[in-house]
Amino acid sequence: MNVSLLPRSAFSYYILLGVVVMAGLSQGLLLPLLSILLEQQGVSASVNGFNSASLYIGSFAMTLVAERLVGVVGFKKLLVGGLLMVLIALPLFPLLPGVRTWFVLRLIIGAGDSALNYVAQLWVLLVTPAENRGRNLSLYGMSYGIGFSVGPLGIGLVDYGDSVPFLALALLFLLVLIFVLRFLLAYKPESGKEHTDRGFARFSKVYRYAWFALIPAFLYGYMEASLNGNFPVYGLRIGLFKEDVALLMLSVGIGGLILQLPLGMLSDRFGRRPILIGAGVCGGLLFALVPLAGTSLWLNTILFLAAGGLVGSFYSLGMAYAADLLPKALIPSANVVASFHFSAGSMLGPTIGGAGMQHGSPFLLFLLMGSAYMLFGAFGFFFKGRTAKNV
């Protein structure tokens, strides 16, 4: 992929960051909002969780074709397509209520958001020098985190009508679409000698050298989707108020924003692997302690801030580590694998969490999540971290 064909101006960079903010905003708002609306309609926790996972089924479907689509239509057209998919689907939620209809609409939005994230992240990965990769990917992660954190605040707009949150979000997407169409230049990747590996051969090399660096994408998707899809149900069932649920979900995002850049800079200095191990073990332990906080808003806020801060940069740190380990020609393929892992984790997260709450205990939501992060940290001690720059 020819990086000289990618956006060069600072203004183009800010437009892409705005796109990432919107992708985070849509997921940060829609997952908890729709979960609360379905809970109020008497939908079971397991069905509610599976419906939440449909967003990431759409994301997974886009992951399978994103790399090829970029090569065929270029960066700008894929961005425009993703924005239009979300923009068209949003107003249909209040017009076409129902579990089955919302399942389809979430599929569409998931595919659109995935296209936005793929294009923006690939741009950052390809143009960033290794010595600044952690910092610059952290800025990308912060942009997504800002949208993801602000999103749950839109739940309160329901008080003015069920359609208001959806219409407000659609207007914001329309504004970003206008900026992309007006100011972002069209760029298209070129095929070159670097694309010598075809099909599964590329992905085999990606897994061989960077499997540990790609697990964080799965864990981040699992955590994000579980919190957005299952935590509103968990909170309401243990006695938290709707406003408390929104505040705690905001706390996770704020924690991620606070530590995103420091962790990225520390990884530039001390290495990605030790930072990922430490953040995974400590963040997992904090998540496992959430059930002990009960309905205490202050204790939950402290735990969510700290845990969210430690694991909130997992996706960007994992991709930075993968880019350290792999040659540039394999970075687009690693991006596809990471997106696949994120989608898989996002589909499994609310499904497992919802089933655990319905058939076991509500506390299983955080015990399983915490255990997954701590297990990842243990895996890190067995990963050698050999680079593959010459393959």
Side-chain angles (χ1 to χ4, degrees):
M1 187 163 296
N2 190 340
V3 296
S4 66
L5 298 176
L6 294 165
R8 305 185 222 3
S9 70
F11 190 53
S12 296
Y13 176 70
Y14 294 135
I15 292 175
L16 286 174
L17 289 185
V19 169
V20 176
V21 170
M22 292 309 302
L25 188 66
S26 67
Q27 295 189 28
L29 171 60
L30 292 180
L31 281 167
L33 174 61
L34 295 175
S35 293
I36 288 174
L37 292 176
L38 289 176
E39 171 74 6
Q40 292 175 345
Q41 294 172 21
V43 175
S44 69
S46 58
V47 173
N48 202 332
F50 180 72
N51 198 268
S52 296
S54 65
L55 183 82
Y56 298 103
I57 297 175
S59 178
F60 170 74
M62 177 58 68
T63 296
L64 298 177
V65 298
E67 187 178 14
R68 185 175 296 274
L69 282 176
V70 167
V72 174
V73 304
F75 289 92
K76 180 176 178 178
K77 287 184 179 179
L78 186 54
L79 276 179
V80 171
L83 289 167
L84 284 173
M85 292 174 73
V86 179
L87 181 59
I88 293 171
L90 281 171
L92 297 179
F93 279 98
L95 295 176
L96 303 172
V99 174
R100 294 181 179 178
T101 308
W102 284 7
F103 184 90
V104 175
L105 293 176
R106 280 173 153 177
L107 285 174
I108 297 172
I109 288 182
D113 280 342
S114 180
L116 304 181
N117 276 311
Y118 180 83
V119 172
Q121 182 175 271
L122 183 58
W123 179 80
V124 176
L125 281 170
L126 289 174
V127 302
T128 300
E131 61 271 16
N132 295 324
R133 192 169 284 140
R135 183 194 66 187
N136 288 4
L137 278 175
S138 294
L139 292 175
Y140 163 87
M142 287 178 66
S143 299
Y144 181 86
I146 289 172
F148 183 79
S149 303
V150 173
L153 297 180
I155 294 174
L157 294 175
V158 174
D159 295 337
Y160 302 97
D162 288 349
S163 63
V164 174
F166 303 101
L167 294 177
L169 187 58
L171 287 174
L172 291 175
F173 265 90
L174 177 61
L175 179 62
V176 173
L177 176 62
I178 292 172
F179 271 87
V180 169
L181 290 171
R182 177 65 179 84
F183 299 107
L184 196 63
L185 298 178
Y187 294 96
K188 189 174 180 180
E190 290 184 345
S191 298
K193 295 180 180 179
E194 69 273 15
H195 295 285
T196 56
D197 292 313
R198 299 293 179 182
F200 290 102
R202 292 173 296 141
F203 299 115
S204 176
K205 286 184 177 179
V206 167
Y207 276 114
R208 179 181 177 186
Y209 291 97
W211 62 267
F212 178 74
L214 296 168
I215 294 176
F218 174 88
L219 291 175
Y220 186 82
Y222 186 100
M223 180 271 294
E224 180 193 81
S226 293
L227 289 182
N228 280 273
N230 296 139
F231 179 66
V233 177
Y234 169 93
L236 293 175
R237 289 191 176 185
I238 69 169
L240 292 172
F241 294 107
K242 182 176 65 176
E243 294 76 15
D244 295 339
V245 170
L247 177 62
L248 290 173
M249 295 177 67
L250 176 63
S251 298
V252 175
I254 291 176
L257 290 175
I258 292 173
L259 292 185
Q260 183 92 222
L261 188 57
L263 286 175
M265 296 176 70
L266 284 173
S267 75
D268 286 334
R269 183 173 181 181
F270 299 107
R272 323 280 182 215
R273 179 171 162 269
I275 299 299
L276 283 169
I277 291 174
V281 171
C282 295
L285 179 61
L286 290 171
F287 275 132
L289 292 175
V290 167
L292 299 179
T295 58
S296 172
L297 181 59
W298 289 108
L299 286 176
N300 276 302
T301 299
I302 293 172
L303 289 172
F304 276 47
L305 276 171
L310 288 168
V311 305
S313 58
F314 249 49
Y315 195 110
S316 57
L317 280 179
M319 284 309 303
Y321 194 20
D324 293 340
L325 297 169
L326 298 169
K328 182 167 288 188
L330 290 180
I331 291 178
S333 299
N335 198 36
V336 170
V337 174
S339 298
F340 170 81
H341 284 186
F342 175 82
S343 300
S346 300
M347 287 186 286
L348 288 174
T351 303
I352 293 174
M357 287 193 295
Q358 181 173 348
H359 303 293
S361 166
F363 301 137
L364 283 176
L365 175 65
F366 290 101
L367 294 177
L368 291 172
M369 190 187 306
S371 298
Y373 275 101
M374 288 187 282
L375 185 61
F376 164 78
F379 283 160
F381 292 103
F382 300 97
F383 181 67
K384 297 180 180 180
R386 269 194 313 131
T387 59
K389 296 301 181 183
N390 297 318
V391 299

